Structure formats: C-alpha cells, structure tokens
Amino acid sequence: MKKINPPYSWLTISLWGICFVSTFTVSAQVKETPKQRMAQFYNWTSKENIPFEGDCYEADGVDVTKIDMMCIQKYLKSIEATGLFSSIYIKGLQQEFVKKQADIKKNGYAEGIDYDRYTLSQDPPSVKELLFALNNSSTTAINGNKAKVVVKLKKPYSISYIYSLDLENNVWKLSKIESK
C-alpha cells in the first residue's frame, strides 16, 4: 500500500473544496440567466409608461436645441430604478447627454435620435417577436462577470441584436445594446 503524505492530501482536498464551494456559492447567488434577464427587459419595453428622454428636449425637427438637465437626471434615475441597466450603461447615457449639451452650446443644436433607444429601430418589433427570437434563435456567452446575448430576429425583418451584460451585485444588467 502506498503511503500518502498527509499535508499534501489535506492541501489537495482543501483546494478542491475551496474551488467547489466558491463556484457553487457564486452560481447559487445569481438567480437568473442573462437570457432570463433579457426576457424581463423585453417585457419592460412593452409597458406604456416607460421613461422617455424626448420629454426632456426642445427640438427643431430631429435636432435638439435645448436640454432640461433636471429632467434628464430624473430620466436617468428612473432608468436606473428599473434594475435592468448597469452602472456602465447609466454612465454612458450621462456622458451622451453632457456631450449633447456641449454641442448645443457650441453649435446651437445637437443630434437627436429618431429611433427607439432599446431596439435601435424606428419601427420596433413587438415584444412577442422579440421573445420568440430570444427563445428560438439566440446564443449566450458568459465569461466571468460579463455576458453577451445575441438575438437573431427574422420577423418582421432580419436583424441581430447584441446585448452586453455585466454582473452587478449578482444580477445581470444591460451595459450595451447593439445591432447588425
């Protein structure tokens, strides 16, 4: 019978235990998958009274000529309160509005957006179409505390949405929305 060095065996068992327990603890604390989070996001976008940044603008056509920054702050707080968006996303929006404010000061106007911010479309697909695509033609890649969900929509038109999510306080939150 081969003799096992006791310190080595306890060290090995301890290291395996730490790895197993820490992996189990992290996965046990994260209550939903990135895909489930996207379903919540899609359902949120279908609500009638979601915050709308356009209420904070004065515009000439598509060009923004004045921004009510107090209104923007309320908008940002309401977006943040949904729990769907990461601090990275919120910071990005803040920077976008500060840049628009600087453009108005410099040029007299800033470029507005003439599309839905969450679907990057002037004619957004329905929540039913988005959920169908999420459940039937999407992929999810998770790398540590970052995830990417790619949703390939075929109806009413062909488009791929790429959602980047970050794990904040054990909750997946949107940090970037792209399309191609």
mmCIF file of all heavy atoms in Angstrom, residues 54-101:
data_model
loop_
_atom_site.group_PDB
_atom_site.id
_atom_site.type_symbol
_atom_site.label_atom_id
_atom_site.label_comp_id
_atom_site.label_asym_id
_atom_site.label_seq_id
_atom_site.Cartn_x
_atom_site.Cartn_y
_atom_site.Cartn_z
ATOM 1 N N GLY A 54 -37.036 61.978 -24.645
ATOM 2 C CA GLY A 54 -37.525 63.044 -25.526
ATOM 3 C C GLY A 54 -38.358 64.083 -24.791
ATOM 4 O O GLY A 54 -38.480 65.225 -25.239
ATOM 5 N N ASP A 55 -38.923 63.698 -23.647
ATOM 6 C CA ASP A 55 -39.679 64.655 -22.837
ATOM 7 C C ASP A 55 -38.778 65.740 -22.267
ATOM 8 O O ASP A 55 -39.263 66.765 -21.793
ATOM 9 C CB ASP A 55 -40.387 63.932 -21.684
ATOM 10 C CG ASP A 55 -41.493 63.001 -22.174
ATOM 11 O OD1 ASP A 55 -41.990 63.195 -23.306
ATOM 12 O OD2 ASP A 55 -41.854 62.077 -21.415
ATOM 13 N N CYS A 56 -37.478 65.540 -22.294
ATOM 14 C CA CYS A 56 -36.511 66.481 -21.713
ATOM 15 C C CYS A 56 -35.887 67.393 -22.766
ATOM 16 O O CYS A 56 -34.999 68.183 -22.448
ATOM 17 C CB CYS A 56 -35.406 65.712 -20.989
ATOM 18 S SG CYS A 56 -36.005 64.621 -19.681
ATOM 19 N N TYR A 57 -36.308 67.283 -24.014
ATOM 20 C CA TYR A 57 -35.710 68.047 -25.114
ATOM 21 C C TYR A 57 -36.655 69.098 -25.658
ATOM 22 O O TYR A 57 -37.872 68.908 -25.686
ATOM 23 C CB TYR A 57 -35.385 67.139 -26.306
ATOM 24 C CG TYR A 57 -34.362 66.064 -26.093
ATOM 25 C CD1 TYR A 57 -34.365 64.943 -26.910
ATOM 26 C CD2 TYR A 57 -33.378 66.151 -25.120
ATOM 27 C CE1 TYR A 57 -33.428 63.942 -26.766
ATOM 28 C CE2 TYR A 57 -32.431 65.157 -24.969
ATOM 29 C CZ TYR A 57 -32.463 64.062 -25.796
ATOM 30 O OH TYR A 57 -31.532 63.076 -25.642
ATOM 31 N N GLU A 58 -36.065 70.153 -26.168
ATOM 32 C CA GLU A 58 -36.738 71.035 -27.118
ATOM 33 C C GLU A 58 -36.014 70.789 -28.419
ATOM 34 O O GLU A 58 -34.786 70.672 -28.447
ATOM 35 C CB GLU A 58 -36.617 72.502 -26.696
ATOM 36 C CG GLU A 58 -37.497 72.859 -25.526
ATOM 37 C CD GLU A 58 -37.433 74.342 -25.167
ATOM 38 O OE1 GLU A 58 -37.102 75.171 -26.044
ATOM 39 O OE2 GLU A 58 -37.692 74.652 -23.998
ATOM 40 N N ALA A 59 -36.758 70.673 -29.512
ATOM 41 C CA ALA A 59 -36.122 70.277 -30.764
ATOM 42 C C ALA A 59 -36.658 71.059 -31.947
ATOM 43 O O ALA A 59 -37.755 71.613 -31.915
ATOM 44 C CB ALA A 59 -36.333 68.788 -30.992
ATOM 45 N N ASP A 60 -35.846 71.094 -32.978
ATOM 46 C CA ASP A 60 -36.214 71.625 -34.276
ATOM 47 C C ASP A 60 -36.057 70.452 -35.238
ATOM 48 O O ASP A 60 -34.954 70.146 -35.678
ATOM 49 C CB ASP A 60 -35.293 72.788 -34.653
ATOM 50 C CG ASP A 60 -35.665 73.413 -35.988
ATOM 51 O OD1 ASP A 60 -36.750 73.087 -36.524
ATOM 52 O OD2 ASP A 60 -34.862 74.221 -36.502
ATOM 53 N N GLY A 61 -37.157 69.763 -35.485
ATOM 54 C CA GLY A 61 -37.075 68.524 -36.254
ATOM 55 C C GLY A 61 -36.393 67.466 -35.406
ATOM 56 O O GLY A 61 -36.761 67.235 -34.261
ATOM 57 N N VAL A 62 -35.334 66.880 -35.943
ATOM 58 C CA VAL A 62 -34.585 65.860 -35.228
ATOM 59 C C VAL A 62 -33.507 66.497 -34.340
ATOM 60 O O VAL A 62 -33.055 65.904 -33.377
ATOM 61 C CB VAL A 62 -33.937 64.874 -36.225
ATOM 62 C CG1 VAL A 62 -33.059 63.859 -35.528
ATOM 63 C CG2 VAL A 62 -35.001 64.159 -37.019
ATOM 64 N N ASP A 63 -33.123 67.726 -34.656
ATOM 65 C CA ASP A 63 -32.065 68.392 -33.894
ATOM 66 C C ASP A 63 -32.564 68.874 -32.538
ATOM 67 O O ASP A 63 -33.621 69.493 -32.430
ATOM 68 C CB ASP A 63 -31.507 69.590 -34.680
ATOM 69 C CG ASP A 63 -30.803 69.173 -35.951
ATOM 70 O OD1 ASP A 63 -30.266 68.055 -35.993
ATOM 71 O OD2 ASP A 63 -30.791 69.974 -36.912
ATOM 72 N N VAL A 64 -31.783 68.601 -31.519
ATOM 73 C CA VAL A 64 -32.095 69.037 -30.159
ATOM 74 C C VAL A 64 -31.515 70.435 -29.976
ATOM 75 O O VAL A 64 -30.331 70.663 -30.227
ATOM 76 C CB VAL A 64 -31.486 68.066 -29.117
ATOM 77 C CG1 VAL A 64 -31.731 68.557 -27.706
ATOM 78 C CG2 VAL A 64 -32.037 66.665 -29.313
ATOM 79 N N THR A 65 -32.363 71.371 -29.549
ATOM 80 C CA THR A 65 -31.907 72.748 -29.371
ATOM 81 C C THR A 65 -31.772 73.146 -27.905
ATOM 82 O O THR A 65 -31.125 74.132 -27.585
ATOM 83 C CB THR A 65 -32.868 73.736 -30.072
ATOM 84 O OG1 THR A 65 -34.190 73.518 -29.562
ATOM 85 C CG2 THR A 65 -32.840 73.533 -31.583
ATOM 86 N N LYS A 66 -32.389 72.375 -27.026
ATOM 87 C CA LYS A 66 -32.289 72.654 -25.592
ATOM 88 C C LYS A 66 -32.562 71.360 -24.827
ATOM 89 O O LYS A 66 -33.429 70.582 -25.207
ATOM 90 C CB LYS A 66 -33.303 73.727 -25.192
ATOM 91 C CG LYS A 66 -33.181 74.173 -23.754
ATOM 92 C CD LYS A 66 -34.145 75.312 -23.458
ATOM 93 C CE LYS A 66 -33.981 75.728 -22.003
ATOM 94 N NZ LYS A 66 -34.901 76.789 -21.646
ATOM 95 N N ILE A 67 -31.803 71.186 -23.738
ATOM 96 C CA ILE A 67 -31.984 70.010 -22.887
ATOM 97 C C ILE A 67 -32.259 70.488 -21.465
ATOM 98 O O ILE A 67 -31.522 71.310 -20.932
ATOM 99 C CB ILE A 67 -30.733 69.109 -22.878
ATOM 100 C CG1 ILE A 67 -30.419 68.615 -24.286
ATOM 101 C CG2 ILE A 67 -30.925 67.934 -21.937
ATOM 102 C CD1 ILE A 67 -29.131 67.811 -24.380
ATOM 103 N N ASP A 68 -33.314 69.954 -20.889
ATOM 104 C CA ASP A 68 -33.615 70.209 -19.479
ATOM 105 C C ASP A 68 -32.847 69.160 -18.672
ATOM 106 O O ASP A 68 -33.266 68.012 -18.562
ATOM 107 C CB ASP A 68 -35.127 70.094 -19.251
ATOM 108 C CG ASP A 68 -35.532 70.317 -17.806
ATOM 109 O OD1 ASP A 68 -34.656 70.319 -16.913
ATOM 110 O OD2 ASP A 68 -36.747 70.464 -17.576
ATOM 111 N N MET A 69 -31.687 69.568 -18.128
ATOM 112 C CA MET A 69 -30.812 68.619 -17.437
ATOM 113 C C MET A 69 -31.434 68.077 -16.149
ATOM 114 O O MET A 69 -31.132 66.951 -15.745
ATOM 115 C CB MET A 69 -29.434 69.230 -17.175
ATOM 116 C CG MET A 69 -28.634 69.447 -18.466
ATOM 117 S SD MET A 69 -28.460 67.970 -19.508
ATOM 118 C CE MET A 69 -27.064 67.174 -18.742
ATOM 119 N N MET A 70 -32.304 68.841 -15.503
ATOM 120 C CA MET A 70 -33.010 68.314 -14.318
ATOM 121 C C MET A 70 -33.920 67.166 -14.746
ATOM 122 O O MET A 70 -34.007 66.150 -14.068
ATOM 123 C CB MET A 70 -33.814 69.421 -13.625
ATOM 124 C CG MET A 70 -32.961 70.507 -12.993
ATOM 125 S SD MET A 70 -32.002 69.905 -11.606
ATOM 126 C CE MET A 70 -33.283 69.790 -10.387
ATOM 127 N N CYS A 71 -34.593 67.341 -15.855
ATOM 128 C CA CYS A 71 -35.454 66.296 -16.404
ATOM 129 C C CYS A 71 -34.612 65.070 -16.778
ATOM 130 O O CYS A 71 -35.012 63.933 -16.502
ATOM 131 C CB CYS A 71 -36.200 66.840 -17.618
ATOM 132 S SG CYS A 71 -37.301 65.656 -18.421
ATOM 133 N N ILE A 72 -33.448 65.303 -17.367
ATOM 134 C CA ILE A 72 -32.541 64.202 -17.733
ATOM 135 C C ILE A 72 -32.121 63.432 -16.486
ATOM 136 O O ILE A 72 -32.075 62.190 -16.497
ATOM 137 C CB ILE A 72 -31.307 64.724 -18.502
ATOM 138 C CG1 ILE A 72 -31.700 65.182 -19.910
ATOM 139 C CG2 ILE A 72 -30.196 63.683 -18.555
ATOM 140 C CD1 ILE A 72 -32.172 64.083 -20.847
ATOM 141 N N GLN A 73 -31.829 64.129 -15.400
ATOM 142 C CA GLN A 73 -31.441 63.454 -14.158
ATOM 143 C C GLN A 73 -32.578 62.565 -13.644
ATOM 144 O O GLN A 73 -32.342 61.438 -13.195
ATOM 145 C CB GLN A 73 -31.011 64.460 -13.083
ATOM 146 C CG GLN A 73 -29.695 65.149 -13.399
ATOM 147 C CD GLN A 73 -28.564 64.181 -13.709
ATOM 148 O OE1 GLN A 73 -28.369 63.186 -13.025
ATOM 149 N NE2 GLN A 73 -27.821 64.473 -14.764
ATOM 150 N N LYS A 74 -33.820 63.058 -13.733
ATOM 151 C CA LYS A 74 -34.978 62.247 -13.333
ATOM 152 C C LYS A 74 -35.113 61.031 -14.254
ATOM 153 O O LYS A 74 -35.415 59.924 -13.802
ATOM 154 C CB LYS A 74 -36.261 63.083 -13.372
ATOM 155 C CG LYS A 74 -36.363 64.090 -12.259
ATOM 156 C CD LYS A 74 -37.642 64.891 -12.386
ATOM 157 C CE LYS A 74 -37.695 66.010 -11.368
ATOM 158 N NZ LYS A 74 -38.871 66.869 -11.560
ATOM 159 N N TYR A 75 -34.907 61.262 -15.541
ATOM 160 C CA TYR A 75 -34.956 60.179 -16.520
ATOM 161 C C TYR A 75 -33.927 59.103 -16.163
ATOM 162 O O TYR A 75 -34.244 57.915 -16.108
ATOM 163 C CB TYR A 75 -34.709 60.734 -17.926
ATOM 164 C CG TYR A 75 -34.411 59.691 -18.964
ATOM 165 C CD1 TYR A 75 -35.409 58.875 -19.474
ATOM 166 C CD2 TYR A 75 -33.111 59.514 -19.442
ATOM 167 C CE1 TYR A 75 -35.134 57.906 -20.426
ATOM 168 C CE2 TYR A 75 -32.830 58.554 -20.397
ATOM 169 C CZ TYR A 75 -33.839 57.755 -20.878
ATOM 170 O OH TYR A 75 -33.553 56.796 -21.821
ATOM 171 N N LEU A 76 -32.685 59.533 -15.909
ATOM 172 C CA LEU A 76 -31.622 58.586 -15.581
ATOM 173 C C LEU A 76 -31.933 57.813 -14.299
ATOM 174 O O LEU A 76 -31.703 56.605 -14.228
ATOM 175 C CB LEU A 76 -30.280 59.307 -15.454
ATOM 176 C CG LEU A 76 -29.699 59.843 -16.762
ATOM 177 C CD1 LEU A 76 -28.487 60.729 -16.490
ATOM 178 C CD2 LEU A 76 -29.351 58.712 -17.709
ATOM 179 N N LYS A 77 -32.472 58.498 -13.305
ATOM 180 C CA LYS A 77 -32.829 57.825 -12.052
ATOM 181 C C LYS A 77 -33.936 56.805 -12.277
ATOM 182 O O LYS A 77 -33.934 55.725 -11.689
ATOM 183 C CB LYS A 77 -33.231 58.839 -10.987
ATOM 184 C CG LYS A 77 -32.045 59.547 -10.387
ATOM 185 C CD LYS A 77 -32.440 60.518 -9.313
ATOM 186 C CE LYS A 77 -31.180 61.216 -8.806
ATOM 187 N NZ LYS A 77 -31.422 62.153 -7.764
ATOM 188 N N SER A 78 -34.893 57.147 -13.136
ATOM 189 C CA SER A 78 -35.980 56.198 -13.389
ATOM 190 C C SER A 78 -35.494 54.984 -14.175
ATOM 191 O O SER A 78 -35.944 53.863 -13.937
ATOM 192 C CB SER A 78 -37.149 56.885 -14.104
ATOM 193 O OG SER A 78 -36.759 57.351 -15.374
ATOM 194 N N ILE A 79 -34.551 55.193 -15.085
ATOM 195 C CA ILE A 79 -33.959 54.080 -15.831
ATOM 196 C C ILE A 79 -33.169 53.192 -14.866
ATOM 197 O O ILE A 79 -33.275 51.967 -14.885
ATOM 198 C CB ILE A 79 -33.026 54.610 -16.944
ATOM 199 C CG1 ILE A 79 -33.818 55.323 -18.030
ATOM 200 C CG2 ILE A 79 -32.178 53.507 -17.558
ATOM 201 C CD1 ILE A 79 -34.747 54.443 -18.815
ATOM 202 N N GLU A 80 -32.389 53.821 -14.018
ATOM 203 C CA GLU A 80 -31.584 53.087 -13.044
ATOM 204 C C GLU A 80 -32.469 52.300 -12.071
ATOM 205 O O GLU A 80 -32.154 51.172 -11.698
ATOM 206 C CB GLU A 80 -30.700 54.074 -12.281
ATOM 207 C CG GLU A 80 -29.662 53.445 -11.414
ATOM 208 C CD GLU A 80 -28.716 54.469 -10.821
ATOM 209 O OE1 GLU A 80 -29.061 55.663 -10.733
ATOM 210 O OE2 GLU A 80 -27.628 54.057 -10.417
ATOM 211 N N ALA A 81 -33.595 52.880 -11.693
ATOM 212 C CA ALA A 81 -34.503 52.243 -10.727
ATOM 213 C C ALA A 81 -35.127 50.952 -11.262
ATOM 214 O O ALA A 81 -35.585 50.124 -10.471
ATOM 215 C CB ALA A 81 -35.596 53.221 -10.312
ATOM 216 N N THR A 82 -35.126 50.757 -12.567
ATOM 217 C CA THR A 82 -35.671 49.513 -13.113
ATOM 218 C C THR A 82 -34.832 48.313 -12.702
ATOM 219 O O THR A 82 -35.325 47.190 -12.680
ATOM 220 C CB THR A 82 -35.730 49.549 -14.660
ATOM 221 O OG1 THR A 82 -34.396 49.572 -15.184
ATOM 222 C CG2 THR A 82 -36.540 50.724 -15.174
ATOM 223 N N GLY A 83 -33.544 48.548 -12.427
ATOM 224 C CA GLY A 83 -32.643 47.454 -12.085
ATOM 225 C C GLY A 83 -32.185 46.661 -13.300
ATOM 226 O O GLY A 83 -31.483 45.669 -13.173
ATOM 227 N N LEU A 84 -32.557 47.120 -14.488
ATOM 228 C CA LEU A 84 -32.199 46.410 -15.712
ATOM 229 C C LEU A 84 -30.872 46.865 -16.310
ATOM 230 O O LEU A 84 -30.261 46.139 -17.090
ATOM 231 C CB LEU A 84 -33.295 46.605 -16.773
ATOM 232 C CG LEU A 84 -34.645 45.974 -16.462
ATOM 233 C CD1 LEU A 84 -35.706 46.488 -17.417
ATOM 234 C CD2 LEU A 84 -34.540 44.457 -16.517
ATOM 235 N N PHE A 85 -30.439 48.071 -15.954
ATOM 236 C CA PHE A 85 -29.288 48.682 -16.603
ATOM 237 C C PHE A 85 -28.101 48.788 -15.648
ATOM 238 O O PHE A 85 -28.251 49.167 -14.493
ATOM 239 C CB PHE A 85 -29.661 50.064 -17.139
ATOM 240 C CG PHE A 85 -30.774 50.014 -18.136
ATOM 241 C CD1 PHE A 85 -32.086 50.199 -17.737
ATOM 242 C CD2 PHE A 85 -30.516 49.743 -19.471
ATOM 243 C CE1 PHE A 85 -33.125 50.139 -18.649
ATOM 244 C CE2 PHE A 85 -31.544 49.669 -20.388
ATOM 245 C CZ PHE A 85 -32.858 49.866 -19.983
ATOM 246 N N SER A 86 -26.916 48.490 -16.170
ATOM 247 C CA SER A 86 -25.699 48.519 -15.364
ATOM 248 C C SER A 86 -25.239 49.957 -15.135
ATOM 249 O O SER A 86 -25.670 50.882 -15.826
ATOM 250 C CB SER A 86 -24.584 47.744 -16.066
ATOM 251 O OG SER A 86 -24.110 48.467 -17.187
ATOM 252 N N SER A 87 -24.348 50.113 -14.199
ATOM 253 C CA SER A 87 -23.767 51.432 -13.939
ATOM 254 C C SER A 87 -22.999 51.913 -15.173
ATOM 255 O O SER A 87 -22.956 53.116 -15.449
ATOM 256 C CB SER A 87 -22.859 51.389 -12.713
ATOM 257 O OG SER A 87 -21.845 50.427 -12.875
ATOM 258 N N ILE A 88 -22.438 50.993 -15.945
ATOM 259 C CA ILE A 88 -21.733 51.347 -17.183
ATOM 260 C C ILE A 88 -22.707 51.977 -18.175
ATOM 261 O O ILE A 88 -22.400 52.985 -18.806
ATOM 262 C CB ILE A 88 -21.061 50.102 -17.801
ATOM 263 C CG1 ILE A 88 -19.942 49.606 -16.893
ATOM 264 C CG2 ILE A 88 -20.559 50.366 -19.203
ATOM 265 C CD1 ILE A 88 -19.406 48.234 -17.253
ATOM 266 N N TYR A 89 -23.876 51.393 -18.316
ATOM 267 C CA TYR A 89 -24.885 51.920 -19.239
ATOM 268 C C TYR A 89 -25.342 53.313 -18.791
ATOM 269 O O TYR A 89 -25.422 54.235 -19.595
ATOM 270 C CB TYR A 89 -26.085 50.962 -19.316
ATOM 271 C CG TYR A 89 -27.097 51.352 -20.359
ATOM 272 C CD1 TYR A 89 -26.951 50.942 -21.672
ATOM 273 C CD2 TYR A 89 -28.201 52.139 -20.033
ATOM 274 C CE1 TYR A 89 -27.872 51.305 -22.640
ATOM 275 C CE2 TYR A 89 -29.124 52.504 -20.995
ATOM 276 C CZ TYR A 89 -28.963 52.086 -22.295
ATOM 277 O OH TYR A 89 -29.870 52.455 -23.250
ATOM 278 N N ILE A 90 -25.618 53.459 -17.508
ATOM 279 C CA ILE A 90 -26.086 54.742 -16.970
ATOM 280 C C ILE A 90 -25.015 55.813 -17.168
ATOM 281 O O ILE A 90 -25.319 56.935 -17.591
ATOM 282 C CB ILE A 90 -26.472 54.612 -15.475
ATOM 283 C CG1 ILE A 90 -27.597 53.580 -15.284
ATOM 284 C CG2 ILE A 90 -26.845 55.958 -14.883
ATOM 285 C CD1 ILE A 90 -28.898 53.888 -15.966
ATOM 286 N N LYS A 91 -23.758 55.481 -16.903
ATOM 287 C CA LYS A 91 -22.664 56.441 -17.113
ATOM 288 C C LYS A 91 -22.555 56.841 -18.569
ATOM 289 O O LYS A 91 -22.309 57.997 -18.893
ATOM 290 C CB LYS A 91 -21.328 55.851 -16.649
ATOM 291 C CG LYS A 91 -21.001 56.140 -15.236
ATOM 292 C CD LYS A 91 -19.595 55.653 -14.897
ATOM 293 C CE LYS A 91 -19.464 55.620 -13.404
ATOM 294 N NZ LYS A 91 -18.492 54.693 -12.909
ATOM 295 N N GLY A 92 -22.717 55.868 -19.456
ATOM 296 C CA GLY A 92 -22.683 56.150 -20.895
ATOM 297 C C GLY A 92 -23.773 57.127 -21.299
ATOM 298 O O GLY A 92 -23.536 58.038 -22.102
ATOM 299 N N LEU A 93 -24.974 56.942 -20.758
ATOM 300 C CA LEU A 93 -26.073 57.877 -21.044
ATOM 301 C C LEU A 93 -25.754 59.270 -20.513
ATOM 302 O O LEU A 93 -25.980 60.268 -21.195
ATOM 303 C CB LEU A 93 -27.378 57.390 -20.427
ATOM 304 C CG LEU A 93 -28.144 56.317 -21.170
ATOM 305 C CD1 LEU A 93 -29.407 55.933 -20.405
ATOM 306 C CD2 LEU A 93 -28.502 56.753 -22.569
ATOM 307 N N GLN A 94 -25.223 59.344 -19.297
ATOM 308 C CA GLN A 94 -24.859 60.640 -18.721
ATOM 309 C C GLN A 94 -23.866 61.359 -19.626
ATOM 310 O O GLN A 94 -24.031 62.545 -19.922
ATOM 311 C CB GLN A 94 -24.250 60.476 -17.322
ATOM 312 C CG GLN A 94 -25.249 60.100 -16.273
ATOM 313 C CD GLN A 94 -24.595 59.734 -14.937
ATOM 314 O OE1 GLN A 94 -23.469 59.236 -14.892
ATOM 315 N NE2 GLN A 94 -25.323 59.966 -13.854
ATOM 316 N N GLN A 95 -22.852 60.640 -20.090
ATOM 317 C CA GLN A 95 -21.851 61.228 -20.979
ATOM 318 C C GLN A 95 -22.470 61.678 -22.291
ATOM 319 O O GLN A 95 -22.116 62.721 -22.834
ATOM 320 C CB GLN A 95 -20.708 60.242 -21.221
ATOM 321 C CG GLN A 95 -19.869 59.992 -19.995
ATOM 322 C CD GLN A 95 -18.887 58.846 -20.176
ATOM 323 O OE1 GLN A 95 -18.945 58.083 -21.142
ATOM 324 N NE2 GLN A 95 -17.972 58.716 -19.222
ATOM 325 N N GLU A 96 -23.395 60.896 -22.800
ATOM 326 C CA GLU A 96 -24.078 61.251 -24.044
ATOM 327 C C GLU A 96 -24.833 62.577 -23.893
ATOM 328 O O GLU A 96 -24.760 63.446 -24.755
ATOM 329 C CB GLU A 96 -25.054 60.139 -24.433
ATOM 330 C CG GLU A 96 -25.828 60.406 -25.696
ATOM 331 C CD GLU A 96 -26.823 59.306 -26.013
ATOM 332 O OE1 GLU A 96 -26.546 58.121 -25.728
ATOM 333 O OE2 GLU A 96 -27.898 59.644 -26.556
ATOM 334 N N PHE A 97 -25.541 62.742 -22.781
ATOM 335 C CA PHE A 97 -26.306 63.969 -22.570
ATOM 336 C C PHE A 97 -25.403 65.167 -22.308
ATOM 337 O O PHE A 97 -25.693 66.276 -22.760
ATOM 338 C CB PHE A 97 -27.324 63.789 -21.445
ATOM 339 C CG PHE A 97 -28.376 62.756 -21.769
ATOM 340 C CD1 PHE A 97 -28.644 61.717 -20.888
ATOM 341 C CD2 PHE A 97 -29.090 62.796 -22.954
ATOM 342 C CE1 PHE A 97 -29.596 60.760 -21.188
ATOM 343 C CE2 PHE A 97 -30.046 61.846 -23.269
ATOM 344 C CZ PHE A 97 -30.299 60.819 -22.382
ATOM 345 N N VAL A 98 -24.294 64.958 -21.616
ATOM 346 C CA VAL A 98 -23.326 66.045 -21.400
ATOM 347 C C VAL A 98 -22.745 66.481 -22.748
ATOM 348 O O VAL A 98 -22.591 67.678 -23.010
ATOM 349 C CB VAL A 98 -22.212 65.605 -20.411
ATOM 350 C CG1 VAL A 98 -21.034 66.569 -20.426
ATOM 351 C CG2 VAL A 98 -22.784 65.470 -19.005
ATOM 352 N N LYS A 99 -22.440 65.512 -23.626
ATOM 353 C CA LYS A 99 -21.923 65.842 -24.957
ATOM 354 C C LYS A 99 -22.971 66.607 -25.763
ATOM 355 O O LYS A 99 -22.647 67.596 -26.434
ATOM 356 C CB LYS A 99 -21.499 64.577 -25.701
ATOM 357 C CG LYS A 99 -20.890 64.897 -27.071
ATOM 358 C CD LYS A 99 -20.548 63.657 -27.836
ATOM 359 C CE LYS A 99 -19.952 63.903 -29.185
ATOM 360 N NZ LYS A 99 -20.546 64.928 -30.012
ATOM 361 N N LYS A 100 -24.213 66.184 -25.696
ATOM 362 C CA LYS A 100 -25.280 66.899 -26.410
ATOM 363 C C LYS A 100 -25.377 68.340 -25.905
ATOM 364 O O LYS A 100 -25.520 69.263 -26.693
ATOM 365 C CB LYS A 100 -26.621 66.186 -26.238
ATOM 366 C CG LYS A 100 -26.782 64.940 -27.074
ATOM 367 C CD LYS A 100 -28.173 64.373 -26.926
ATOM 368 C CE LYS A 100 -28.342 63.044 -27.578
ATOM 369 N NZ LYS A 100 -28.050 62.955 -28.984
ATOM 370 N N GLN A 101 -25.276 68.506 -24.593
ATOM 371 C CA GLN A 101 -25.336 69.838 -24.003
ATOM 372 C C GLN A 101 -24.177 70.704 -24.532
ATOM 373 O O GLN A 101 -24.373 71.866 -24.876
ATOM 374 C CB GLN A 101 -25.286 69.729 -22.465
ATOM 375 C CG GLN A 101 -25.530 71.009 -21.747
ATOM 376 C CD GLN A 101 -26.998 71.377 -21.694
ATOM 377 O OE1 GLN A 101 -27.793 71.058 -22.575
ATOM 378 N NE2 GLN A 101 -27.365 72.067 -20.646
#
